[in-house]
Amino acid sequence: MQATTVQIFILVFTSLLVIGVSIISYLFSIKKDKTWFYAYATMLMILVQWMSDTGSSLIYQNYFLHLASIILFPSIIFSLFIIYILQGSRSVRQLLYMLLIGELGYVISVGFLSLLGNTPSYIQIGWPWISNHLFSSLAIIIDYFFLLAIWPIIHNPKYKLPLFIKVWLVCWILLIMDSLIFTLGTFWDNPIIYEIIMSNIIIRSILSVIITPLISLYVQYTIKENGDNIAYRRWDSILGKNEEIEIAIQESKEKVDKLEKLELEMTQRNIELENQRKAIANILDDVQKDKENALNLAEELRRFKIAAEQSNEMIVFTDAEGIVLWGNKATEVITGFTKEEAVGKKAGVLWGKLMPKEWYQDLWKTVKIDKKIFVSEIQNHRKNGERFLSSFIIYPLLDSSNNVQFFVATQRDITKEKEIDRMKTEFLSVAAHQLRTPLGSMRWNIEMLLSGDLGDLGVLQPEVKETISSIYDSNRRLIDLVNDLLNVSRIDQGRVSENPQPTDINTVIVSVLKDLKPLTIEQDIKLIFNPINIPNITLDSKHLHEVISNLLSNAIKYNKKSGSVELTTKLTDDIVELKIIDTGMGIPEVDMPRLGSKFFRAENAILTQTEGSGLGLFVAKSYVEAWGGILKIESKIGNGTTVTISLPLTPKSHILDKNLEAKPHTTI
Amino acid sequence: MTNQPPFILVAEDDKFYGSIFKAKLTKEGYEVIVAINGEEALKAARIKKPDLMLCDLIMPIKDGFETLKELKADPKLKDIKVIVLSNLGQDSDIDRARALGAHDFFVKTDLSIQDVVDKIRSNLAL
């Protein structure tokens, strides 16, 4: 191979490389893709250095070529160095690492070649070669620190140096520094080292004269292109004198803080979102349950509706103002209004308005204000004007906040019942009349027979007289029974009229005792009564007479032979207490609960065949309770019975009021 | 009218009662006429004004209430004392009869025949 050809090739190739690297580096640095820039530049340096060294080794001891490789290497480094700084590097330190890596890479690559046996003879020089590179590395490091030291001086605005001069000074000073360092190598007593190092010094000296002005011009050009003083600022920042960095750091910190805050917010937001998600899941769950409940409810409601629809009782739903919302079939049947006619109208207006004003006021107060159930009998009218009587219940349905939402009213047409009642009463009075008529004439006839009014019967055989007497007794019993039945039916229907008068209970008792005297004598009963002063009670004396008479006759009838009956009276506060204490057979405990119910007679009373209808006590109890009093029975079998009635001095008696077309309502 | 026995007019449709009243009151020394309904009773009263009238309530042709009403409407007869003796004992009946001017009201079965005589006696004495 001709040495000149190789020389030219290497020179051209390396020169092209320098230019190429410069351009590529510039382009990359514009894009600020520093990683690529470092990698690329480093690789190129290794390549160039290796090639220059290889070239020199091909023509061992060809001094010129060796020099060329030495010239090329630092010039490349400087080019890179300046371009790198001016085009956006943040730190000179990074450049330093790059250069050192370049040197190391070169040492490794040459070492690798030596293993292949194709060792450049140049390397065989040994220590001189190594020392050259050691010096190069050392020069780079020292250059770096030196640059840090001198830049503030050169850049000081006080001197107002043009950029061109500044850069030239830097390069120049650096090269002198390098030369001084390499000069140290001359102290090494080795002709080859000496030769190499000297060549370095010479080359760098030439470089500082020729290359640095070129670089300076290049820099000037670049800055002009960028149009402002970016370069200065970059130099400042590179040399650690920049507030911008601090501001940038501060800004970065703030940004980091903001980011951290943001992250925290995001975390919280995430937690919130998660909670919301859970809440929504729960709601969905509830909705599902609600749906099931609603379906069940709907089914229940459907069944209920069928039942309500078929009911014989009129069932009406209204809103809180009494406007009809729904009514069942019976509503149509009873009132004559069709559903379409009724819905949306006031129930009271449709079929009501027949009751006294106070009754309606009472109704609304009970259901709307007290929110309670109202029960009464009510007179309403049908669509055709016909009146009907019904038993009426209305109750409010409340919402969750306890306000009346709906009313449910049921009505049972009791017009027919009332008619039947009326007929029953009529029948009873007619029947009573019809029964009483023969009984009465029988009674009077027997009386006249016995008193001789129908003529002297002569001396009757005792058996005949006894027979007539027993007929008379039976007749009297029948009359009593009819009277009792009449009383009971009147009480049942509330058709007993009270004529309350101030009544002296002692007078009534004495009168009863007088009436019952024959019975007392017959039964050989001792009557004990010591009247004390009791104020007048306001009630119907006829009824009180009946009460005392019924109780006292029981006490006599169910007494033992030659027993006694004691009557005592007592006044405590406003309550009059009358006790009738007998020494009779007593009442079996099992019969106590049914005592005082219609036609009921205790077991032992029936067995002894004592006459009785089982109505006397019922009648007495009915009156006493109507007056607001209490009738109490205490008894022990075989030990007699004590009946106590307690009456208020001013008894109420309205339940016996016969004007009971519509009974007073009860409130539940 | 010291020697003249008191005249009792009885309005009674039931023949058994009628005969009892007739027999008992005659025996007690009264002059007795038993009319079998209200119409007859009023006729009798117009012929001879009774000192006292016993009146049943349920009677054919003219019942006790009607009779009372007419009697009290007649200026000549309105001062006749009337004792209603009936087997209707409901308060409404009693009230109605009293309102129409009945002097007394008794349920037949509640009284013995002697009681009836006593009531007549005490009413005539007034």
Side-chain angles (χ1 to χ4, degrees):
Chain A
M1 191 199 271
Q2 288 300 308
T4 44
T5 320
V6 175
Q7 285 167 10
I8 291 159
F9 169 74
I10 290 171
L11 276 171
V12 171
F13 182 73
T14 50
S15 300
L16 283 172
L17 269 175
V18 170
I19 295 160
V21 166
S22 299
I23 292 166
I24 291 164
S25 303
Y26 178 69
L27 291 175
F28 271 111
S29 61
I30 284 172
K31 287 186 174 175
K32 303 204 169 115
D33 193 345
K34 290 180 195 115
T35 314
W36 273 105
F37 175 79
Y38 299 145
Y40 196 66
T42 309
M43 285 307 293
L44 280 178
M45 285 202 318
I46 293 165
L47 191 67
V48 168
Q49 199 161 35
W50 181 73
M51 283 180 73
S52 65
D53 275 3
T54 308
S56 66
S57 71
L58 286 173
I59 36 168
Y60 182 54
Q61 288 179 335
N62 184 314
Y63 207 54
F64 171 73
L65 206 60
H66 187 66
L67 281 173
S69 77
I70 293 169
I71 291 162
L72 277 169
F73 178 59
S75 62
I76 291 165
I77 289 170
F78 269 100
S79 304
L80 286 172
F81 185 66
I82 300 302
I83 292 162
Y84 177 78
I85 287 167
L86 293 177
Q87 296 306 326
S89 167
R90 280 278 177 189
S91 165
V92 182
R93 206 180 302 132
Q94 286 165 346
L95 188 70
L96 175 74
Y97 298 151
M98 194 181 80
L99 297 174
L100 291 173
I101 289 164
E103 288 288 338
L104 187 66
Y106 177 67
V107 172
I108 291 166
S109 61
V110 173
F112 180 69
L113 281 174
S114 69
L115 288 174
L116 295 172
N118 187 18
T119 318
S121 53
Y122 168 71
I123 288 166
Q124 288 167 356
I125 294 164
W127 270 111
W129 176 77
I130 293 166
S131 65
N132 185 31
H133 286 284
L134 278 174
F135 279 116
S136 288
S137 301
L138 189 64
I140 290 164
I141 294 163
I142 290 169
D143 279 354
Y144 168 67
F145 288 106
F146 191 68
L147 195 63
L148 288 180
I150 63 164
W151 180 251
I153 299 162
I154 294 167
H155 187 53
N156 196 326
K158 199 161 66 178
Y159 304 120
K160 289 181 179 166
L161 294 170
L163 179 65
F164 174 80
I165 300 297
K166 281 184 194 173
V167 175
W168 190 80
L169 271 173
V170 169
C171 294
W172 181 236
I173 290 164
L174 288 178
L175 283 171
I176 290 170
M177 279 298 299
D178 280 3
S179 302
L180 286 172
I181 291 160
F182 279 107
T183 310
L184 292 172
T186 58
F187 294 103
W188 204 315
D189 194 15
N190 184 309
I192 296 170
I193 293 172
Y194 183 77
E195 189 187 309
I196 294 168
I197 287 172
M198 276 313 289
S199 66
N200 249 323
I201 293 169
I202 291 159
I203 293 306
R204 278 161 203 254
S205 300
I206 296 163
L207 202 69
S208 63
V209 177
I210 302 162
I211 304 295
T212 51
L214 289 174
I215 294 171
S216 301
L217 284 170
Y218 172 74
V219 167
Q220 188 76 40
Y221 168 76
T222 317
I223 288 165
K224 268 182 188 162
E225 253 198 354
N226 284 335
D228 65 8
N229 56 354
I230 290 167
Y232 291 103
R233 285 194 273 114
R234 289 223 170 114
W235 276 110
D236 281 343
S237 74
I238 287 159
L239 296 170
K241 266 197 60 110
N242 197 353
E243 289 169 7
E244 229 185 308
I245 289 180
E246 281 164 23
I247 291 165
I249 289 169
Q250 195 57 37
E251 278 174 4
S252 305
K253 274 184 183 168
E254 281 168 11
K255 273 182 186 162
V256 167
D257 281 354
K258 266 189 192 167
L259 281 169
E260 278 174 355
K261 261 187 196 167
L262 209 65
E263 197 189 349
L264 198 71
E265 270 175 31
M266 289 300 286
T267 314
Q268 281 170 348
R269 188 91 189 107
N270 271 340
I271 291 167
E272 276 171 29
L273 280 170
E274 179 61 17
N275 288 342
Q276 276 178 10
R277 194 194 63 76
K278 279 181 189 164
I280 288 168
N282 284 341
I283 288 166
L284 285 174
D285 218 32
D286 288 350
V287 165
Q288 182 62 27
K289 276 179 198 157
D290 282 354
K291 193 183 156 196
E292 281 166 20
N293 287 344
L295 284 173
N296 289 338
L297 210 63
E299 176 58 20
E300 255 177 54
L301 206 63
R302 196 183 64 82
R303 281 188 221 150
F304 166 76
K305 210 177 154 185
I306 291 168
E309 192 66 48
Q310 299 305 321
S311 169
N312 285 330
E313 286 194 23
M314 168 175 165
I315 301 171
V316 174
F317 279 81
T318 76
D319 68 4
E321 303 306 317
I323 305 281
V324 176
L325 301 173
W326 183 83
N328 65 348
K329 258 184 204 158
T331 309
E332 277 188 44
V333 173
I334 292 172
T335 66
F337 288 100
T338 63
K339 262 179 212 176
E340 291 71 32
E341 286 170 324
V343 168
K345 295 193 186 100
K346 259 199 145 149
V349 174
L350 279 173
W351 48 69
K353 290 248 185 255
L354 294 176
M355 301 297 285
K357 205 175 156 195
E358 300 76 43
W359 187 90
Y360 290 107
Q361 285 170 350
D362 202 11
L363 182 154
W364 288 112
K365 187 189 168 290
T366 307
V367 294
K368 228 175 173 177
I369 298 165
D370 304 342
K371 290 160 189 163
K372 286 183 172 167
I373 298 177
F374 182 86
V375 181
S376 180
E377 279 180 12
I378 181 174
Q379 176 121 57
N380 282 328
H381 62 82
R382 305 187 214 276
K383 195 183 171 187
N384 60 14
E386 193 188 340
R387 293 187 173 195
F388 66 98
L389 197 67
S390 54
S391 85
F392 173 68
I393 301 173
I394 179 165
Y395 49 97
L397 295 181
L398 306 179
D399 63 13
S400 50
S401 43
N402 216 32
N403 291 321
V404 175
Q405 207 171 13
F406 304 110
F407 289 116
V408 181
T410 65
Q411 287 192 43
R412 189 164 51 86
D413 191 342
I414 53 169
T415 315
K416 273 185 190 154
E417 274 175 43
K418 285 278 158 182
E419 179 64 15
I420 290 165
D421 260 8
R422 199 185 56 77
M423 285 163 68
K424 202 166 81 184
T425 312
E426 246 178 46
F427 167 78
L428 258 166
S429 80
V430 171
H433 182 261
Q434 300 299 341
L435 283 168
R436 272 172 169 173
T437 302
L439 286 170
S441 67
M442 202 193 269
R443 174 180 178 178
W444 290 355
N445 273 317
I446 298 167
E447 278 169 4
M448 285 174 74
L449 192 68
L450 287 172
S451 63
D453 286 338
L454 299 175
D456 193 0
L457 297 175
V459 183
L460 279 176
Q461 292 209 354
E463 292 82 8
V464 178
K465 210 172 179 181
E466 213 171 278
T467 307
I468 295 173
S469 279
S470 82
I471 292 170
Y472 183 68
D473 287 346
S474 299
N475 170 264
R476 291 298 303 272
R477 270 168 56 195
L478 268 173
I479 289 170
D480 287 346
L481 184 63
V482 169
N483 286 341
D484 282 348
L485 280 170
L486 274 174
N487 270 336
V488 167
S489 80
R490 282 182 203 153
I491 288 168
D492 270 356
Q493 295 163 47
R495 295 175 77 91
V496 180
S497 75
E498 269 268 302
N499 184 21
Q501 300 283 334
T503 304
D504 176 23
I505 192 167
N506 288 328
T507 312
V508 176
I509 292 169
V510 168
S511 148
V512 173
L513 289 176
K514 194 182 147 203
D515 283 358
L516 293 173
K517 193 128 197 162
L519 191 64
T520 328
I521 294 163
E522 191 187 305
Q523 301 278 324
D524 191 19
I525 302 294
K526 194 181 158 200
L527 281 172
I528 307 155
F529 175 53
N530 298 308
I532 59 160
N533 203 19
I534 300 274
N536 284 347
I537 311 173
T538 309
L539 43 68
D540 194 317
S541 60
K542 222 167 72 188
H543 295 152
L544 182 63
H545 187 283
E546 208 171 331
V547 169
I548 297 172
S549 174
N550 285 355
L551 296 176
L552 201 59
S553 65
N554 278 345
I556 296 165
K557 281 190 285 187
Y558 303 114
N559 219 313
K560 61 183 177 199
K561 210 78 187 158
S562 310
S564 69
V565 175
E566 188 186 354
L567 280 99
T568 64
T569 49
K570 198 168 94 181
L571 179 72
T572 322
D573 298 327
D574 278 352
I575 304 288
V576 180
E577 198 183 84
L578 168 69
K579 268 188 204 289
I580 300 168
I581 308 150
D582 70 48
T583 53
M585 60 182 80
I587 302 157
E589 213 179 315
V590 285
D591 288 336
M592 290 296 278
R594 290 182 60 205
L595 219 56
S597 51
K598 258 179 277 178
F599 301 107
F600 177 75
R601 298 185 67 211
E603 195 67 28
N604 52 354
I606 298 166
L607 283 173
T608 52
Q609 294 194 347
T610 309
E611 59 190 64
S613 63
L615 292 170
L617 190 58
F618 169 78
V619 170
K621 199 173 172 220
S622 300
Y623 280 126
V624 170
E625 284 171 2
W627 290 321
I630 300 162
L631 188 147
K632 202 170 79 182
I633 301 168
E634 292 155 297
S635 184
K636 210 168 180 191
I637 191 99
N639 265 348
T641 302
T642 301
V643 180
T644 311
I645 55 173
S646 312
L647 291 173
L649 276 179
T650 318
K652 53 169 188 168
S653 55
H654 59 272
I655 291 179
L656 292 169
D657 194 338
K658 65 178 172 182
N659 301 316
L660 286 174
E661 278 306 286
K663 283 180 185 167
H665 82 266
T666 44
T667 305
I668 296 164
Chain B
M1 57 188 220
T2 36
N3 297 323
Q4 201 73 339
F7 172 35
I8 313 285
L9 177 61
V10 181
E12 175 61 68
D13 64 318
D14 188 282
K15 59 178 181 184
F16 293 110
Y17 280 113
S19 60
I20 291 167
F21 282 128
K22 180 90 182 167
K24 181 70 183 178
L25 295 181
T26 308
K27 194 169 177 283
E28 291 294 325
Y30 299 109
E31 184 192 346
V32 182
I33 286 183
V34 178
I36 57 161
N37 59 48
E39 191 73 50
E40 294 293 319
L42 284 168
K43 265 186 205 165
R46 282 182 185 118
I47 294 164
K48 187 181 182 185
K49 194 178 167 187
D51 298 294
L52 189 86
M53 185 174 167
L54 298 183
C55 187
D56 192 11
L57 285 177
I58 298 181
M59 289 181 291
I61 304 173
K62 193 164 271 175
D63 69 12
F65 297 116
E66 287 283 307
T67 311
L68 258 171
K69 210 174 176 180
E70 233 169 272
L71 193 81
K72 292 293 166 188
D74 190 325
K76 285 181 188 162
L77 305 177
K78 68 175 179 187
D79 55 339
I80 300 170
K81 280 187 181 172
V82 180
I83 298 175
V84 173
L85 266 177
S86 170
N87 273 324
L88 292 182
Q90 295 201 50
D91 299 302
S92 55
D93 303 324
I94 298 168
D95 293 347
R96 194 173 160 202
R98 282 193 190 278
L100 289 171
H103 202 258
D104 237 337
F105 190 111
F106 299 105
V107 173
K108 286 175 188 156
T109 51
D110 287 352
L111 302 176
S112 67
I113 189 67
Q114 193 53 50
D115 290 337
V116 176
V117 174
D118 292 346
K119 300 284 177 202
I120 290 169
R121 202 167 280 154
S122 60
N123 265 298
L124 285 173
L126 282 172

